[in-house]
Amino acid sequence: MNPFTYDQFPARIVFGAGRLAEVGAEVERLGGQRVMLISDWATAQSAAAVSRQLGSRLALAWDEVAQHVPVELAERARAAATEAAVDCIVCIGGGSSTGLAKAMALSHNLPIVAVPTTYAGSEQTAIYGLTGGRHKQTGKNPVVLPKTVVYDPELTLGLPPQVTGPSAFNALAHSVEALYAPGNNPITSALALEGVRAIHQSLPMVMESPGDVDARGTLLYGAYLSGVALGTTSTGLHHKLCHVLGGRFNLVHADAHSVILPHAIAFNAPALPAEMARLADALGVPGGDPAAALWDLAVASHVPTRLADLSGHDGLLKREDLPGAAHAAAEEITVNPRPVNEADLLGILERAYEGVRP
Ligand code: NAD
């Protein structure tokens, strides 16, 4: 057993079907008196239920969110929170709602009660992101970590398949990279492998029967573990490529994950024989190739598998866009288990562009 250091985050988790009903009590537990409630159009109904629980403690309802948190949006939300003298935030929605809540916590030092409704996992990390121009800046600060997370799988029953599948792959990517990213230790690996098992087991069931609350619960549990694994380790080559693609071309964040993950893992696998053997077990292919298994799961789950099919700011991504992205990613990647240069990154992006099975 190698020595290790593990900073375990002090979050409170409330998990289970129907537990949205407890959000008001969780706000009270934190002493929130003037609450900013962040949601988007898709979570308006859940937000209405929470505003009834909050009653006169609701100081500001905010329903405008966007992926990658544009700086200009964060500034408007911050000004409104100052004006309303907000002392606590509840965010209901995917990573975009959580991301805006984190931007608020960063500037106003406010406690967050997060109610995630996708599998993005941001609610378990101290990572925040803000995008200005075409560049996404990320940072880490414990102040943005939600104090309480309420996971209610009932809120995910209406999540459309085209969001569910890629979002689950976003979660899967957190666990897979946590197996080797800096900060990895035996505890984070145990969480990550359990996360992979839960997602691998439940994702095909959820895609088949989106209203199956038990399967949705298992998928949300896997996403939660994956978020913890990401939050207590860090990101690697795969996430850096996705962040560059997201910031540069405004691709849907989760779609980029489902396309890139098998190819990033195929590249890193030769440097990680022990980790890949454990990953293959968790993906149900003992002794097999985890990169191919991830690609097969992507195909079986009907998630995007070709960069050529993804659209951003300027329409469909073009092959000519790839060298610039590889160059930008090469500047961001400082550590990787296998030495990687710009040409390698371009190779990964080109294989992902074609969508070939690794
Ligand atoms: P998102 O929050 O934009 O949600 C995706 C879509 O799903 C949206 O259209 C949303 O309206 C819809 N939706 C959400 N919940 C729904 C529900 N219950 N029913 C129906 N529709 C629903 O996207 P996301 O993929 O959840 O998160 C992506 C963002 O999160 C990106 O900005 C990414 O950078 C960030 N992120 C951050 C971290 C971190 O640790 N900081 C981790 C993962 C992702």
Side-chain angles (χ1 to χ4, degrees):
M1 193 65 164
N2 294 324
F4 63 90
T5 303
Y6 177 43
D7 287 314
Q8 193 171 326
F9 288 148
R12 174 176 163 88
I13 310 302
V14 177
F15 192 106
R19 301 201 73 178
L20 180 74
E22 295 170 44
V23 172
E26 292 301 326
V27 168
E28 197 164 328
R29 217 177 149 269
L30 293 173
Q33 291 299 324
R34 297 193 55 78
V35 178
M36 177 177 187
L37 178 56
I38 298 175
S39 61
D40 71 2
W41 62 269
T43 54
Q45 217 180 328
S46 305
V50 169
S51 47
R52 285 192 292 277
Q53 294 170 33
L54 294 173
S56 60
R57 287 175 297 161
L58 179 64
L60 175 63
W62 186 275
D63 64 3
E64 184 189 351
V65 304
Q67 296 225 339
H68 312 301
V69 195
V71 172
E72 144 314 288
L73 170 64
E75 289 308 326
R76 272 191 291 120
R78 285 166 169 167
T82 304
E83 170 90 24
V86 163
D87 64 8
C88 181
I89 298 180
V90 174
C91 57
I92 309 180
S96 300
S97 294
T98 314
L100 183 62
K102 286 175 159 183
M104 311 292 308
L106 190 64
S107 55
H108 287 57
N109 194 9
L110 298 170
I112 299 174
V113 176
V115 186
T117 64
T118 70
Y119 309 111
S122 173
E123 70 284 352
Q124 291 297 342
T125 82
I127 306 164
Y128 61 88
L130 284 160
T131 306
R134 289 198 174 190
H135 183 70
K136 182 168 178 178
Q137 190 88 43
T138 57
K140 238 179 180 180
N141 190 323
V143 80
V144 308
L145 191 73
K147 297 277 180 286
T148 305
V149 184
V150 178
Y151 288 101
D152 184 342
E154 285 181 358
L155 307 189
T156 64
L157 298 181
L159 197 62
Q162 66 273 20
V163 179
T164 297
S167 186
F169 260 78
N170 188 183
L172 205 45
H174 298 153
S175 275
V176 170
E177 284 222 305
L179 295 174
Y180 61 79
N184 163 269
N185 65 55
I187 317 298
T188 55
S189 287
L191 292 168
L193 290 165
E194 174 68 357
V196 170
R197 272 189 289 273
I199 295 167
H200 175 254
Q201 177 203 331
S202 58
L203 179 56
M205 289 156 75
V206 165
M207 295 307 273
E208 182 79 25
S209 314
D212 181 338
V213 74
D214 286 334
R216 285 282 191 182
T218 305
L219 188 50
L220 195 57
Y221 164 71
Y224 153 42
L225 295 179
S226 301
V228 178
L230 165 72
T232 46
T233 57
S234 56
T235 55
L237 177 145
H238 164 80
H239 278 82
K240 297 283 190 246
L241 280 171
C242 291
H243 281 155
V244 165
L245 292 170
R248 215 173 159 88
F249 306 113
N250 198 30
L251 299 185
V252 174
H253 178 78
D255 287 358
H257 278 280
S258 66
V259 174
I260 297 291
L261 187 63
H263 302 284
I265 295 312
F267 180 82
N268 272 342
L272 299 161
E275 291 80 357
M276 291 301 112
R278 298 176 78 191
L279 178 59
D281 284 350
L283 287 168
V285 289
D289 176 357
L294 288 166
W295 196 87
D296 292 342
L297 181 63
V299 171
S301 311
H302 309 291
V303 301
T305 51
R306 281 174 13 119
L307 274 185
D309 294 336
L310 303 190
S311 295
H313 284 299
D314 309 318
L316 280 174
L317 198 67
K318 296 183 278 300
R319 190 180 278 279
E320 307 87 85
D321 294 327
L322 302 183
H327 180 73
E331 291 194 334
E332 288 201 16
I333 297 168
T334 47
V335 275
N336 193 52
R338 180 176 166 191
V340 59
N341 60 30
E342 195 174 319
D344 296 325
L345 293 171
L346 184 57
I348 294 171
L349 289 175
E350 280 177 342
R351 287 188 286 283
Y353 192 84
E354 296 294 340
V356 288
R357 186 175 189 264

